């Protein structure tokens, strides 16, 4: 599989939020301002790449050889939860600047279904280690792009006059729908 | 102390997980393409919620509070694995349609949310009622969304054609943008109804 195709499809044609419905909670929760959504995006890129590598190793060298594939959900979620905790601890000691920038977003990531989702999708697609890393980073970049675009729209939406029943989540969802419609255009360009 | 009936009904109306608490949005958007998918997902989540609330409430005095989150996730993941295997064995079509969203029930915020907010502080009986209420609320909301999207997107309900041959399906409702827009409008409608009925 062409690496470039993986990147294109993961970021645009099959965007993780707008097309695959993963990570909607942080998408609606953290997309109020551009700065916070960028911070969240960076944290997701970082953790996604790490968890992609670790879950690939766990699956191919631990679960598969011992015939424990049915335990993958339990194994992956434990690995991810542990990893997030580890990244947090290591960052705190070694790179306080980065920790301050990502700090508050890290704990939120454990419950972000994109991380577990991408780990499972990688296994399903039978990616090798290089494809896994590329795919994980591309998906996270796609997530960040969707998040930042949404934050930009929402910053203006604050000033618009919206019916009181639709204010908040409802109008955000409709906006996301229109955004998703725009991203559908990329689908015609390339599919895997 | 609220009565058991109130405990049950709050999950369906006042604290409906989808329309009031905005929890579990990912599976909601993804599987509500047809009524049967929505219903299947709802029942799967209901089972996991019931099992995890039961076990967590029963063990609430034994799980040290410092490691409670990993312990809860482990309990939830166990039930999710059971659901995954059962669905794969008995309803392979549904299992295929729900796909990755079955293992992703693990990270569904409703389930961990109920464990953290309810089951660890309440008796087994109350936790079971709470899980039933929340699960039924989730299933109902998902099924209603599924019916709307299937009716207008495909012209059928639960796979049975009802609109007649003259009906031109609105294809967009069966796609990703349709999911977002339908849920957004439904949410606005529910807000409106709640205000009208005076439930806050």
């Amino acid at each position: 599989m062409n690496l470039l195709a993986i990147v294109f499809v993961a970021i645009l044609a099959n965007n993780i939020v707008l097309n695959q419905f993963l990570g909607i909670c942080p998408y609606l929760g953290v997309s109020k301002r551009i700065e916070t959504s960028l911070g969240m995006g960076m944290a997701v890129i970082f953790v996604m790449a790490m968890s992609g590598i670790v879950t690939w190793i766990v699956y191919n060298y631990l679960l598969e050889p011992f015939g424990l594939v049915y335990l993958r959900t339990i194994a992956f979620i434990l690995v991810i939860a542990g990893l997030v905790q580890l990244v947090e601890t290591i960052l705190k000691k070694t790179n306080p600047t980065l920790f301050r920038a990502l700090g508050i977003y890290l704990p939120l990531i454990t419950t972000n279904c994109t991380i577990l989702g991408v780990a499972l999708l990688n296994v399903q697609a039978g990616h090798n280690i290089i494809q896994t890393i590329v795919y994980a980073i591309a998906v996270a970049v796609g997530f960040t792009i969707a998040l930042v675009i949404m934050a930009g729209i929402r910053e203006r939406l604050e000033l618009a006059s919206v019916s009181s029943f639709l204010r908040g989540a409802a109008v955000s969802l409709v906006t996301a729908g229109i955004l998703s419609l725009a991203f559908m255009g990329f689908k015609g360009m390339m599919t895997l | 102390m609220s009565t058991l009936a109130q405990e049950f009904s709050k999950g369906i109306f006042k604290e409906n997980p989808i329309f009031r608490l905005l929890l579990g949005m990912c599976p909601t958007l993804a599987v509500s393409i047809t009524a049967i998918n929505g219903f299947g997902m709802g029942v799967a989540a209901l089972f996991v919620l019931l099992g995890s609330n039961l076990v967590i409430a029963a063990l609430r005095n034994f799980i040290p509070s410092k490691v409670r989150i990993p312990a809860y996730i482990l309990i939830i993941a166990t039930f999710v694995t059971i659901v995954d295997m059962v669905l794969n064995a008995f309803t392979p079509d549904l299992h295929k349609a729900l796909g990755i969203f079955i293992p992703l029930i693990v990270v569904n915020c409703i389930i961990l949310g109920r464990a953290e907010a309810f089951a660890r502080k309440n008796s087994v009986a109350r936790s079971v009622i709470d899980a039933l209420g929340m699960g039924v609320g989730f299933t109902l909301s998902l099924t209603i969304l599924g019916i709307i999207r299937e009716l207008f997107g495909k012209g059928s309900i639960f796979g049975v054609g009802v609109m007649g041959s003259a009906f031109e399906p609105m294809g967009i409702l069966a796609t990703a943008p349709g999911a977002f827009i339908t849920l957004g409008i439904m949410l606005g409608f529910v807000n409106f109804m709640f205000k009208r009925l005076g439930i806050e």
Side-chain angles (χ1 to χ4, degrees):
Chain A
M1 222 179 293
N2 192 340
L3 288 182
L4 209 63
I6 292 185
V7 171
F8 180 84
V9 169
I11 295 182
L12 295 173
N14 225 345
N15 187 284
I16 191 87
V17 183
L18 298 170
N19 242 313
Q20 307 214 56
F21 310 112
L22 292 176
I24 305 286
C25 303
Y27 188 61
L28 293 176
V30 201
S31 64
K32 290 207 176 89
R33 302 196 37 185
I34 292 184
E35 286 141 54
T36 48
S37 55
L38 263 177
M40 182 70 180
M42 293 304 145
V44 169
I45 294 175
F46 192 66
V47 174
M48 189 90 87
M50 303 279 287
S51 82
I53 299 169
V54 177
T55 50
W56 189 87
I57 293 171
V58 167
Y59 187 82
N60 284 286
Y61 289 102
L62 209 65
L63 297 182
E64 200 140 56
F66 293 103
L68 296 171
V69 173
Y70 63 92
L71 284 180
R72 66 180 192 281
T73 313
I74 299 180
F76 283 4
I77 191 73
L78 278 182
V79 165
I80 290 167
L83 187 78
V84 172
Q85 199 67 245
L86 193 71
V87 167
E88 210 181 332
T89 319
I90 292 176
L91 268 189
K92 207 173 185 173
K93 280 269 179 260
T94 57
N95 196 338
T97 334
L98 190 63
F99 177 75
R100 265 200 298 280
L102 303 182
I104 48 169
Y105 304 106
L106 282 173
L108 289 174
I109 286 182
T110 321
T111 52
N112 183 336
C113 48
T114 44
I115 309 285
L116 181 61
V118 165
L120 292 166
L121 285 172
N122 265 324
V123 168
Q124 244 174 38
H127 286 157
N128 63 30
I129 183 78
I130 304 289
Q131 286 169 332
T132 298
I133 297 170
V134 169
Y135 181 72
I137 292 176
V139 164
V141 169
F143 176 79
T144 311
I145 289 175
L147 201 62
V148 171
I149 294 177
M150 189 66 185
I153 298 175
R154 277 182 89 169
E155 277 184 0
R156 304 220 168 147
L157 218 52
E158 289 281 296
L159 306 170
S161 80
V162 179
S163 150
S164 67
F165 307 115
L166 290 174
R167 198 164 273 286
V171 78
S172 308
L173 278 169
V174 175
T175 313
I178 296 167
L179 208 54
S180 160
L181 205 58
F183 270 70
M184 253 178 105
F186 293 110
K187 264 209 157 155
M189 289 170 70
M190 200 188 274
T191 41
L192 274 186
Chain B
M1 273 305 232
S2 50
T3 65
L4 288 182
Q6 278 172 326
E7 214 69 86
F8 178 73
S9 69
K10 78 169 190 286
I12 300 174
F13 299 108
K14 258 190 185 165
E15 294 180 24
N16 184 296
I18 295 179
F19 293 121
R20 302 301 289 172
L21 306 179
L22 301 176
L23 293 176
M25 297 307 250
C26 305
T28 307
L29 289 162
V31 308
S32 62
I33 278 194
T34 62
I36 188 73
N37 282 4
F39 183 72
M41 183 71 207
V43 173
L46 170 64
F47 173 78
V48 174
L49 191 53
L50 199 58
S52 70
N53 255 18
L54 180 86
V55 172
I56 289 166
L59 295 176
R60 68 187 187 281
N61 296 325
F62 301 102
I63 298 175
S65 74
K66 266 189 184 157
V67 294
R68 66 174 192 279
I69 300 290
Y72 295 165
I73 289 180
L74 203 61
I75 292 168
I76 295 168
T78 311
F79 283 102
V80 170
T81 307
I82 295 171
V83 166
D84 196 5
M85 289 162 126
V86 169
L87 284 181
N88 200 3
F90 292 102
T91 55
D93 288 340
L94 187 65
H95 185 263
K96 213 173 159 202
L98 299 181
I100 190 174
F101 287 95
I102 300 172
L104 284 180
I105 297 176
V106 176
V107 280
N108 189 324
C109 353
I110 299 170
I111 296 171
L112 193 60
R114 288 333 283 173
E116 176 73 12
F118 199 92
R120 79 183 170 104
K121 299 176 203 140
N122 286 283
S123 67
V124 174
R126 297 180 79 83
S127 302
V128 167
I129 299 288
D130 175 72
L132 278 176
M134 283 286 162
V136 170
F138 185 61
T139 311
L140 265 181
S141 319
L142 262 178
T143 314
I144 292 172
L145 264 176
I147 288 176
I148 293 174
R149 283 182 66 195
E150 192 182 347
L151 183 64
F152 294 109
K154 292 198 170 96
S156 60
I157 292 179
F158 284 105
V160 183
V162 288
M163 289 300 241
S165 54
F167 174 71
E168 192 67 44
M170 292 189 259
I172 186 163
L173 283 186
T175 60
F180 283 111
I181 293 171
T182 317
L183 184 60
I185 293 172
M186 273 292 283
L187 209 57
F189 179 71
V190 170
N191 286 345
F192 174 74
M193 287 308 286
F194 269 66
K195 202 146 218 178
R196 262 293 168 82
L197 298 171
I199 312 171
E200 240 358 279

